[in-house]
Every structure is written in structure tokens, then in C-alpha cells.
Amino acid sequence: MPKLATSDPQIASLIKQEEKRQQENIDLIPSENHTSKAVREALGSVLTDKYSEGYPKKRYYQGNRVVDKVEILAQERAKKLFDVPYVNVQPYSGSPANLAIYLATCTPQKDKIMGLKLAFGGHLTHGQPQSSTGQFFKSVLYELGKDGLLDYEACEKLALKEKPKVIVCGYTAYPRIIDFKRFGKIADKVGAYLLADISHITGLVIAGVHPSPVPYAHIVMTTTHKTLRGPRGAMIMVTEKGLKKDPNLPKKIDSAIIPGLQGGPHDHQTAAIAVALREAQSKLFKTYGEQIVKNAKALASALIEFGFDLTSGGTDNHLILIDLQNKKVNGAIAAIALETAGIVVNKNGVPFDPMPPFYPSGIRIGTPAATTRGMREKEMTKIAAWINQVIEEVKGEKLPEDKEKRSDFMKLFKTRVVKNKNLLAIAKEVRAFCSKFPIP
Ligand code: DSN
């Protein structure tokens, strides 16, 4: 970045620092990934300078001859990849995309959204009371079963009782295959729209290692920056089934995005999405998706060997949720200690967590980013051993029972942990290990 280095050395230096951080750490956050240089070149292009409110060939601004082609290409690539008749590629990200879907399908303060409770792995925008989606619309939330798995019977009962207008399936912390067919039947039985939010697993659906929701859902939403490995952004798709239920659904979604919710689309983002979609059409991407799952399974097995308690007992996808209660280490403590050792994870609630979200009982990890860097099963075994070492190292750190004392404890813990010699020794090993797996 020669220009930036001279015009704004501060920002240039911070970007360099972040590049170094990413290179020297193992990113196990399941919703993150490393984009290709091609995606980043499109994202950093002159397309960021353009305004193009509206849709291709129907814009409120002049000068969109080129932008129209970019957006149409993104649309066509998505339609082909997912086998859907309609897509909107303009949502700025997943949250506005979900809100737009509810605006297109529900009457505020009247219709109900039915989604999974946040504490069980649902998303804020699946109708949680803390989110505008749970405030503008009525919502009813389902839970997982005691075994940490989706309880389809309970979902059906709840849907029959509550008659939601939209049922949301697709999650942020669910390590197992989702039975979209079953959800489709439930939605049909109560006349609801089925919205499949496949943000986490899109790349796996494209690679054919997770069933596609397209035959069963009316609407499919995905972010573009997780397993799909594109820029931040989102897409809303209407399936043939969705068109049959309401032929005007595409029009309603288009209007919900603009003028309903957004202004000008981010054309540089659209171009970068198109690039990611092209990359996702390749054979290499299929191999990539398969390897994500192989890696997650290898990581899960190795963790189980070390006595870790994985919710639902393992994984079928890219994600693993570790319940640390048997290890007597709080998730917040574990996440900070792991970061000190160069392993970046999420602290995360586990099903029926007795602890609050800020100090949850678990951590959430995943393999999409590590797999992009070329790490395989062998490397996953090594990573599991490091995770185990770190957790053993902080076993004596007890989060105070007294809620008032927790924040001060964590402040002290953070100052202590960055000086922990054993963790710093692991960080050194991790750095050397990472140097063999350059980020793109
Ligand atoms: N923030 C995303 C995740 O980490 O799962 C969901 O939007």
C-alpha cells in the first residue's frame, strides 16, 4: 500500500499490524475467513465512488452503465450457484437483510416471527427481544432439546400453537446438520414462510457437504463473508417454492431493501461478492468445503480425546461448541487465555447455560479460516493439543461468584495472563507454525 503509507502512515501501520496479527494467529472464529486478494482488489476499487440507488436499468442516478453489469453478474452467479430464480445482492449485511425479509412478509406489531433463542445459538435478528426484529414484530422463540439438538417435534407444536408468519431456521452456534425438509413441512402445515438463514454454512451448501434449503424454504438469506469467503455483505434469495407462495415476493423484498431500509448499494461490495461467487463455482471451492468439515471433525475428535465436552457430542459442519463446565474454566477466561497463546476463538453460551452471555460457559470454534490457509487434519490435532494446554494452564482461575467482582477480576486476569510464560511459549510455537500457512 505505497500510497497509503505516505498519505496516512497511521492507518497504513494499523493495517500492517492487523495483517501481522492475522498471519501470526490461528483464527478459529467460525464466522470469519480470509478473503482472496482478488476479492479485496474488487472491494478496494473505484466502484466505491458510485451512487446507484435502485436496481439494474432502473436507477435514480445517472452513470450506472458499468455498475448495472456488475450487479447483474453478481445476481446471475448467485442464481446459478444456488439454483434460485431471484436474488437481491444489495443488503449491506445479514442484519438488514433479515429485517428487510420481515418487512416484506410481515405486518409490524401483528405478525409473528419464530426463531431459535439467542442463548441456544439463534441470531439477534431472528426475533430476539433485544433486536428491532423482536420489537417491531411479535416473536416466539424455540429452544434446543436437552441433548443440544433441534427438537423438530417441539418446533412443530410451537408453530401450530403460535401460527407464526415466518419460521427461521439456520443458526450461529449449531454444530449439526439442519433438516430443512422437516422445517419446510412445519412451515407448510401452518402456512408460514420458511426463512433459511444459511449465513454460517453457505460455503458448505455450495460444496455439497450440507443439504441445501432451496427445495424447502421460501426465502434463503446468507451473509457473504463467512464460509462463502467473500466481502462483508448479504444476499436474499427467493426460491421456486417462495415464488409459488407469493409471486410478488421478489418485488416486496426489493422494495423492502430500497426504499424501505437502505439507500445506495455498495457497488464495490457487490463486485467483490461477484468475485467470491465466481471463486465458489470452482472445483477447488468444493474441495475447500469438504476439507472444512474434515478438519472440524478431526479437531472435534482430538478435543474429545482430551476430555472436552462438545455440545451435541461433536460436529457435522464447520463449527464446534465446547462446554467448559467439566473443565471448571469460564468461557471468557478461556477465550482471553487462548488469544494470549495465539488462538482466536469466541466465548459462547452453551445450551441451558447457567451463566450470563458476558461470562458464558463455553467457547465456539470453527475451521473455515484455518482451512483457507491450507491447514489439514494433522494440524487440527496439533491445535487441539494447544487448546488443551491453554485450558490446563488457566484451570486455577476462578471467576468470582459475586457478580459485582467479576469485572475487576477480569481486568487483573488480563494483566496477569499476558505475562504467563507458558502461554507465551505456546504463542511462539503458534507463530512458527503459522508461518508455514500464509494468509492469502
Ligand atoms: N456475528 C455472526 C457470528 O459470529 O456468528 C452472526 O452474525
Side-chain angles (χ1 to χ4, degrees):
M1 297 176 297
K3 188 71 204 166
L4 190 63
T6 51
S7 72
D8 192 337
Q10 272 176 304
I11 286 292
S13 156
L14 288 172
I15 294 173
K16 278 279 156 217
Q17 286 172 44
E18 174 60 12
E19 229 172 74
K20 186 167 179 306
R21 188 196 68 79
Q22 290 190 19
Q23 174 56 44
E24 293 182 347
N25 287 267
I26 303 166
D27 182 1
L28 291 185
I29 292 180
S31 49
E32 292 183 353
N33 214 327
H34 300 287
T35 48
S36 70
K37 264 210 128 149
V39 164
R40 298 202 299 277
E41 280 177 11
L43 197 62
S45 69
V46 291
L47 287 164
T48 195
D49 301 338
K50 193 68 198 99
Y51 250 119
S52 51
E53 280 174 20
Y55 290 97
K57 313 259 166 64
K58 278 177 280 169
R59 305 282 187 188
Y60 293 90
Y61 285 68
Q62 291 309 115
N64 280 303
R65 187 164 34 93
V66 180
V67 162
D68 277 1
K69 288 185 183 160
V70 170
E71 188 165 339
I72 290 168
L73 249 176
Q75 289 172 343
E76 292 309 316
R77 287 176 183 173
K79 283 199 271 186
K80 192 166 165 211
L81 209 50
F82 291 93
D83 194 19
V84 290
Y86 158 90
V87 61
N88 186 311
V89 296
Q90 293 194 8
Y92 299 147
S93 205
S95 299
N98 278 340
L99 183 53
I101 292 166
Y102 307 137
L103 289 170
T105 51
C106 298
T107 306
Q109 309 303 346
K110 177 175 170 273
D111 290 328
K112 263 183 214 161
I113 299 162
M114 178 174 139
L116 180 67
K117 245 184 212 167
L118 189 66
F120 287 80
H123 192 256
L124 274 170
T125 60
H126 294 176
Q128 315 297 333
Q130 306 91 327
S131 150
S132 59
T133 60
Q135 293 161 7
F136 295 171
F137 305 96
K138 293 188 174 167
S139 71
V140 49
L141 301 166
Y142 54 97
E143 296 184 353
L144 297 179
K146 288 274 175 242
D147 50 6
L149 296 172
L150 282 163
D151 182 343
Y152 296 95
E153 261 173 48
C155 283
E156 182 167 335
K157 262 194 207 148
L158 190 66
L160 283 166
K161 179 169 166 251
E162 300 285 349
K163 300 271 179 314
K165 192 79 185 284
V166 177
I167 296 176
V168 190
C169 59
Y171 314 102
T172 64
Y174 190 65
R176 295 296 183 179
I177 298 284
I178 302 163
D179 188 345
F180 291 122
K181 189 172 180 183
R182 185 78 200 267
F183 267 116
K185 280 193 185 142
I186 298 172
D188 293 344
K189 213 165 177 178
V190 299
Y193 286 102
L194 181 63
L195 161 61
D197 178 345
I198 58 166
S199 296
H200 264 257
I201 55 168
T202 327
L204 307 186
V205 169
I206 293 169
V209 287
H210 190 292
S212 168
V214 168
Y216 314 108
H218 303 94
I219 306 166
V220 178
M221 195 290 288
T222 182
T223 51
T224 48
H225 46 275
K226 298 187 175 86
T227 46
L228 179 56
R229 219 162 45 177
R232 307 199 85 83
M235 307 190 292
I236 302 172
M237 296 173 263
V238 174
T239 63
E240 292 290 354
K241 183 174 168 181
L243 273 187
K244 226 182 255 167
K245 184 168 168 67
D246 180 359
N248 285 323
L249 200 47
K251 233 172 139 186
K252 289 180 187 167
I253 286 172
D254 281 352
S255 307
I257 288 289
I258 172 167
L261 204 56
Q262 299 188 171
H266 295 173
D267 300 312
H268 56 309
Q269 186 182 35
T270 307
I273 289 172
V275 174
L277 290 168
R278 184 159 196 270
E279 289 176 357
Q281 288 167 347
S282 69
K283 276 218 179 79
L284 267 180
F285 193 87
K286 184 168 169 46
T287 315
Y288 166 63
E290 289 165 356
Q291 191 62 46
I292 289 177
V293 177
K294 285 185 199 162
N295 282 353
K297 284 184 184 290
L299 186 54
S301 306
L303 287 167
I304 290 169
E305 290 281 307
F306 285 117
F308 283 98
D309 177 10
L310 310 190
T311 71
S312 84
T315 182
D316 298 326
N317 58 21
H318 64 303
L319 180 149
I320 297 164
L321 191 55
I322 309 179
D323 185 339
L324 290 167
Q325 290 179 91
N326 69 337
K327 297 278 182 184
K328 312 248 181 301
V329 177
N330 182 266
I333 289 175
I336 292 167
L338 282 162
E339 183 171 355
T340 311
I343 298 171
V344 185
V345 307
N346 290 115
K347 62 180 174 189
N348 213 96
V350 295
F352 306 100
D353 202 329
M355 294 297 289
F358 208 72
Y359 299 105
S361 298
I363 53 172
R364 184 183 75 149
I365 61 176
T367 54
T371 307
T372 292
R373 295 176 75 171
M375 295 175 196
R376 301 269 179 278
E377 289 93 324
K378 188 165 72 118
E379 283 76 35
M380 296 302 122
T381 313
K382 184 85 200 131
I383 293 170
W386 279 322
I387 292 176
N388 183 51
Q389 267 177 272
V390 172
I391 300 303
E392 289 300 313
E393 186 63 31
V394 290
K395 259 190 166 164
E397 301 285 354
K398 297 277 169 261
L399 189 74
E401 295 278 329
D402 183 348
K403 287 181 193 153
E404 303 298 319
K405 293 191 177 146
R406 284 178 184 164
S407 164
D408 285 342
F409 170 85
M410 287 308 279
K411 269 187 214 146
L412 280 174
F413 171 66
K414 280 181 196 165
T415 53
R416 247 193 349 261
V417 81
V418 289
K419 293 184 215 138
N420 181 309
K421 290 209 171 66
N422 293 336
L423 296 185
L424 293 175
I426 300 173
K428 198 171 163 203
E429 285 175 34
V430 168
R431 268 199 303 281
F433 167 89
C434 282
S435 67
K436 292 185 228 127
F437 300 97
I439 57 169

